[in-house]
Amino acid sequence: MALASAAATGRFAPSPTGPLHAGSLVAALASWLDARAQGGRWLVRIEDVDTPRCLPGMDTVILQQLATLGLRPDEPPLHQSQRGAAYGQALDTLRVAGWAYDCGCSRSDIDAALAASGAARARHEQAVYPGTCRDGLHGKPARAVRLRTRHRGIGPRIDWLDRRLGPMTQDVEREVGDFVLKRADGLWAYQLAVVVDDAWQRVTHVVRGEDLADNTARQILLQRALSLPTPSYLHLPLVRGADGHKLSKQNGAQPIDLRDPLAALRSAARVLQLPTIEATGCDDWLVAAVRAWAARGVA
Ligand code: GLU
């Protein structure tokens, strides 16, 4: 068993767009096991910044699902919809330091600028922002706010070590471009909210699905811009739907079947390649699973 460290803090950060399914349960369970194996705290953060995508009451449904499985947070969950003031303060800090700037580009402005430079590059169907408004709005009204990917000797290349995927690197300028902190519709961007909240909740260990690994360099860049600590990162194998893509509501993920919570935990544990655990109830099973996780020593 790893040495107990009161400072270790893990979190599960679901977006309340639907109930937990087999894929999201893997992230919930692994983040819980990892925190517990270090004798640390485990928190839940409801990521409801993208309000049009969120379903009312879904936070309660998710928390009930977690409780039925024996996964109970150590503090009342934090809701990102309540955190606008903190995100605003972070944005002010970034503006004052010259990291953040207003952008007046529409999607078609960005496509046109990329086509004109012959550099059209699709990345997850998202264009790499060509930096048009870096030096001013050129008479256009401000729409979104973006972060520079290189400033004050920080960026654009970010190297980091994932506990499962190993050494990772991304040139954020070339692969993503100056990215959005506040959207044209006024909503806070996921990258800013996650970085501000991971620091505020003193999260030391981020454990989440591999589909989110690509965001990590942007998040580390933002941490450096805001002089915030960088947690350690572990990106988990994904559960795939029948179409081979990450399991999601769109490809038919069913809510986990809570008539047999132990079976739900066991199938999440198979994805995590934990050994089979003999137990009759969730709580017994979880105690043994913490031991198995610690013994495996994912450092
Ligand atoms: N809210 C994100 C999601 O549900 C997770 C964010 C994170 O773990 O950093 O995909």
Side-chain angles (χ1 to χ4, degrees):
M1 182 113 175
L3 275 185
S5 144
T9 300
R11 49 65 157 186
F12 174 53
S15 305
T17 53
L20 290 184
H21 52 69
S24 38
L25 177 57
V26 170
L29 175 63
S31 61
W32 186 92
L33 289 172
D34 193 56
R36 292 296 184 245
Q38 300 177 73
R41 300 188 304 154
W42 183 71
L43 307 177
V44 172
R45 183 167 73 229
I46 303 294
E47 301 219 315
D48 53 357
V49 268
D50 191 353
T51 34
R53 289 182 53 233
C54 298
L55 297 177
M58 196 47 75
D59 54 341
T60 313
V61 171
I62 292 172
L63 289 162
Q64 275 167 357
Q65 289 178 299
L66 291 170
T68 306
L69 295 158
L71 305 176
R72 292 177 199 85
D74 293 320
E75 287 177 15
L78 184 70
H79 284 74
Q80 291 193 321
S81 54
Q82 308 296 310
R83 299 272 299 147
Y87 307 146
Q89 264 176 20
L91 189 61
D92 288 347
T93 305
L94 293 168
R95 277 187 193 280
V96 168
W99 272 103
Y101 65 88
D102 286 331
C103 171
C105 295
S106 63
R107 195 163 294 220
S108 51
D109 291 336
I110 295 173
D111 289 343
L114 287 172
S117 69
R121 234 174 323 178
R123 180 181 167 278
H124 308 263
E125 288 132 47
Q126 275 222 310
V128 173
Y129 183 64
T132 319
C133 296
R134 239 181 229 165
D135 309 313
L137 283 163
H138 308 287
K140 288 184 287 193
R143 292 167 56 94
V145 185
R146 291 183 183 271
L147 186 88
R148 288 178 208 283
T149 45
R150 79 163 83 212
H151 188 52
R152 298 185 159 189
I154 301 174
R157 186 179 140 157
I158 300 289
D159 297 301
W160 54 284
L161 184 67
D162 186 272
R163 290 163 63 195
R164 175 173 153 262
L165 303 173
M168 308 286 281
T169 186
Q170 186 178 69
D171 181 324
V172 186
E173 182 175 49
R174 199 166 48 80
E175 296 183 44
V176 185
D178 293 354
F179 55 91
V180 170
L181 301 171
K182 193 172 190 189
R183 296 166 22 170
D185 58 10
L187 296 178
W188 296 106
Y190 156 70
Q191 309 295 352
L192 180 69
V194 123
V195 163
V196 170
D197 288 342
D198 279 339
W200 196 69
Q201 296 187 290
R202 303 198 310 281
V203 170
T204 55
H205 292 73
V206 172
V207 177
R208 60 187 179 188
E210 195 176 316
D211 56 316
L212 294 164
D214 182 66
N215 296 281
T216 308
R218 268 170 283 176
Q219 293 172 10
I220 293 174
L221 183 64
L222 254 176
Q223 288 153 5
R224 294 188 184 160
L226 287 163
S227 305
L228 296 172
T230 292
S232 80
Y233 289 94
L234 167 57
H235 287 91
L236 304 163
L238 296 182
V239 179
R240 299 197 181 271
D243 60 359
H245 290 112
K246 179 203 165 195
L247 195 61
S248 69
K249 266 189 311 179
Q250 288 70 33
N251 61 13
Q254 297 299 310
I256 42 180
D257 183 355
L258 290 176
R259 287 170 305 182
D260 189 353
L262 196 50
L265 288 174
R266 285 189 193 286
S267 48
R270 274 196 294 277
V271 178
L272 297 170
Q273 296 177 342
L274 286 176
T276 308
I277 291 163
E278 297 304 328
T280 48
C282 288
D283 288 335
D284 287 359
W285 186 90
L286 284 167
V287 170
V290 169
R291 262 187 253 119
W293 182 275
R296 197 171 60 176
V298 186

